[in-house]
């Protein structure tokens, strides 16, 4: 049997790994796709058996390794549809149906995480975390996600200082080097747009873990997942985005995702120096999403299902410390704000916090930010599974 025939036979039985990984192996066939398709789409909804086959091509020789066999229940979303998920770069790339599918995979990951016997779903796979900016929750949750699924991690905590970037190496050269050591790259960078550059360079999946003041799509995914689990719905909700809306990549990505849902209203509450930028307002307007700017946190909190607080980001102000001091401390969520909030409403925060949520709020059941952080593990487990093994 020829190498191409063998690969196609394997794909018919177990599906194929991520399209970029297939392209890296010089293999251009995929279930229900033309043989000469340059960027094949992952087969969405191929279920029943989840058996990890890592395939690579060397001339006419196909090498494959079979991992642990796990039988999974069939998903409730439609079978046979095609969704392309090569990388996770920005919130706009997701449509509502894809979000629902990711959330369903995330719910299945909750049961895997709670099981004392560790999954071997990603055994044999390596993830590189390439972080040019500080991180606690994002980096550790990605590394925990990979290990809980049986994979391994290569990590650099401060790539800006302790990698060849300090010697002047370009991002593109770094990506071309790192992709030779790993199967997927999770990157945080200080420049907006860096994740797009990395994804355009890499032949393996790239996940944007935050690019300067640009976007943080995996945070937005876990935020929407948290809202659904806490409030019980996503259509018809009222969300107040509070704090540093000009520099906060989390609120930008969240606004993009909230626009996917019906009858959503977003309130922007921020100091004048860090108001939400016009591109987000224009995007929401183009999608028919109602938004309103307000200077009254108490009034907004009384109307909202979600009060999404953020810190004023000192690191984005550079030498303009006077502007930072002007913005800091203007809007604080405390017991008084809780007092006007509805009983079902929740307070969220991407963390870390400084003094923008007082610690006495933590004991209130409406304080959802630590549950929100835990949900990041499930979302990131789901993304790693989908990007490396397919749907």
């Amino acid at each position: 049997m020829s190498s191409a025939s063998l690969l196609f036979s394997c794909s018919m039985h177990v599906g194929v790994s991520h399209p970029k990984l297939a392209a890296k192996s010089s293999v251009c066939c995929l279930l229900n796709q033309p043989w000469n398709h340059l960027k094949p789409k992952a087969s969405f909804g191929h279920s029943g058996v989840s058996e990890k086959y890592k395939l690579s091509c060397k001339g006419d020789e196909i090498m494959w390794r079979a991992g642990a066999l796990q039988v999974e229940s069939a998903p409730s979303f439609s079978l046979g549809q095609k969704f392309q998920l090569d990388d996770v770069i920005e919130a706009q790339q997701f449509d509502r149906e894809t979000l629902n599918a990711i959330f369903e995979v995330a719910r299945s990951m909750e049961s895997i995480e709670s099981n004392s016997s560790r999954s071997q779903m990603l055994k044999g796979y390596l993830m590189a975390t390439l972080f040019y900016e500080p991180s606690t929750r994002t980096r550790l949750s990605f590394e925990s996600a990979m290990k809980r699924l049986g994979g391994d991690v290569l990590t650099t905590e401060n790539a800006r200082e302790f990698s060849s970037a300090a010697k002047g190496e370009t991002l593109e050269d770094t990506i071309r080097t790192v992709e030779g050591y790993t199967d997927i790259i999770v990157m945080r960078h200080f420049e907006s747009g860096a994740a797009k550059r990395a994804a355009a360079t890499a032949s393996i999946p790239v996940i944007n873990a935050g690019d300067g003041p640009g976007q943080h799509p995996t945070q937005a995914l876990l935020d929407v997942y948290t809202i659904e689990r806490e409030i019980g719905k996503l259509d018809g909700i009222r969300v107040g985005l509070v704090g540093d809306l000009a520099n906060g990549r989390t609120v930008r990505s969240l606004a993009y995702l909230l626009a996917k849902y019906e009858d959503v209203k977003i309130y922007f509450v921020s100091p004048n120096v860090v108001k939400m930028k016009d591109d987000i307002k224009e995007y929401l307007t183009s999608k028919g999403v109602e938004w309103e700017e307000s200077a009254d946190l108490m009034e907004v909190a009384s109307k909202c299902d979600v009060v999404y607080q953020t810190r004023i980001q000192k690191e984005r102000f550079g030498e303009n410390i006077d502007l930072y001091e002007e913005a800091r401390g203007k809007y604080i969520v405390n017991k008084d704000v809780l007092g006007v909030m509805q009983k079902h409403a929740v307070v969220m925060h991407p963390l870390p916090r400084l003094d923008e949520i007082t610690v006495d709020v933590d004991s209130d059941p409406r304080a959802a930010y630590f549950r929100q952080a835990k949900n990041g593990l499930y979302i990131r487990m789901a993304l790693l599974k989908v990007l490396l093994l397919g749907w």
Side-chain angles (χ1 to χ4, degrees):
M1 181 182 292
S2 70
S3 59
S5 300
L6 175 59
L7 177 59
F8 185 75
S9 176
C10 290
S11 73
M12 289 296 291
H13 290 287
V14 300
V16 199
S17 61
H18 184 276
K20 274 193 166 185
L21 298 178
K24 182 181 181 182
S25 302
S26 302
V27 177
C28 292
C29 70
L30 194 61
L31 206 59
N32 298 325
Q33 296 294 323
W35 284 73
N36 60 351
H37 199 278
L38 294 180
K39 284 195 75 177
K41 294 183 179 182
S43 181
F44 189 106
H46 187 72
S47 62
V49 177
S50 173
E51 183 171 2
K52 194 269 292 180
Y53 273 76
K54 193 171 184 182
L55 299 123
S56 62
C57 249
K58 286 188 177 180
D60 290 331
E61 180 186 6
I62 293 280
M63 299 184 298
W64 53 276
R65 289 187 292 144
L69 177 67
Q70 294 187 348
V71 178
E72 298 176 350
S73 59
S76 63
F77 45 85
S78 305
L79 297 180
Q81 293 178 309
K82 302 286 190 296
F83 291 83
Q84 188 166 2
L85 195 60
D86 291 344
D87 309 284
V88 175
I89 302 302
E90 58 186 12
Q92 303 97 298
Q93 74 184 81
F94 300 103
D95 61 26
R96 183 165 175 162
E97 194 166 3
T98 308
L99 292 173
N100 291 340
I102 291 171
F103 295 161
E104 188 162 333
V105 177
R107 283 188 287 272
S108 73
M109 293 299 156
E110 292 191 28
S111 60
I112 289 178
E113 187 267 342
S114 62
N115 194 328
S116 58
S117 58
R118 181 170 293 179
S119 170
Q120 296 300 305
M121 187 181 296
L122 295 183
K123 183 176 181 180
Y125 283 95
L126 275 171
M127 175 187 75
T129 51
L130 193 59
F131 278 58
Y132 291 82
E133 285 191 324
S135 172
T136 300
R137 279 149 295 277
T138 303
R139 185 172 65 88
L140 291 182
S141 63
F142 263 116
E143 292 179 5
S144 175
M146 190 66 175
K147 288 181 176 293
R148 287 181 182 277
L149 293 176
D152 289 308
V153 175
L154 304 174
T155 185
T156 176
E157 184 175 358
N158 188 354
R160 191 173 189 175
E161 184 177 349
F162 297 115
S163 76
S164 291
K167 304 175 184 177
E169 183 175 57
T170 66
L171 175 64
E172 286 76 9
D173 283 0
T174 298
I175 295 299
R176 290 189 183 99
T177 301
V178 173
E179 72 173 353
Y181 309 144
T182 187
D183 300 297
I184 187 168
I185 296 172
V186 179
M187 188 183 79
R188 170 168 290 184
H189 203 275
F190 50 88
E191 291 181 358
S192 180
K196 281 186 178 180
R197 289 167 52 200
T201 302
S203 61
I204 62 174
V206 173
I207 298 178
N208 180 5
D211 58 343
Q215 284 210 45
H216 196 345
T218 69
Q219 178 70 45
L221 288 170
L222 74 91
D223 290 342
V224 174
Y225 183 68
T226 299
I227 293 170
E228 183 182 50
R229 294 185 73 74
E230 295 285 337
I231 305 300
K233 63 177 183 177
L234 289 166
D235 291 319
I237 62 173
R238 303 293 179 262
V239 180
L241 303 181
V242 186
D244 191 342
L245 307 186
N247 300 307
R249 56 195 173 205
T250 62
V251 288
R252 292 176 57 82
S253 293
L254 179 55
Y256 281 124
L257 286 193
L258 290 175
K260 310 293 182 185
Y261 298 92
E262 301 295 328
D263 190 29
V264 170
K265 181 169 183 178
I266 301 176
Y267 295 89
F268 300 130
V269 183
S270 66
N272 288 330
V273 295
V274 285
K275 285 184 175 295
M276 180 59 80
K277 293 179 180 177
D278 289 341
D279 64 327
I280 295 295
K281 298 174 186 175
E282 291 167 2
Y283 180 85
L284 294 175
T285 299
S286 72
K287 298 298 181 181
V289 178
E290 186 179 358
W291 58 268
E292 178 183 327
E293 289 187 314
S294 174
D296 191 338
L297 175 58
M298 298 290 279
E299 181 184 3
V300 169
S302 69
K303 299 176 180 179
C304 284
D305 303 289
V306 178
V307 174
Y308 191 99
Q309 176 70 293
T310 64
R311 71 182 175 91
I312 305 298
Q313 299 185 35
K314 184 177 182 179
E315 64 271 23
R316 308 295 179 202
F317 283 81
E319 297 179 356
N320 300 315
I321 300 301
D322 54 332
L323 295 179
Y324 168 72
E325 294 297 338
E326 177 186 336
R328 181 184 175 188
K330 186 165 185 178
Y331 295 108
I332 295 177
V333 174
N334 54 25
K335 286 286 190 180
D336 293 336
V337 174
L338 286 177
V340 302
M341 288 176 59
Q342 302 173 69
K343 296 298 182 184
H344 75 276
V346 293
V347 178
M348 294 174 59
H349 193 304
L351 302 176
R353 68 169 165 187
L354 299 180
D355 53 4
E356 64 274 1
I357 299 178
T358 58
V359 292
D360 56 359
V361 172
D362 295 356
S363 59
D364 192 291
R366 291 171 292 180
Y369 29 90
F370 293 115
R371 298 192 295 273
Q372 176 187 355
K374 182 60 182 280
N375 286 336
L377 174 64
Y378 309 132
I379 286 292
R380 286 157 181 149
M381 289 173 72
L383 291 174
L384 291 174
K385 186 270 179 189
V386 170
L387 284 167
L388 290 171
L389 300 183
W391 295 96

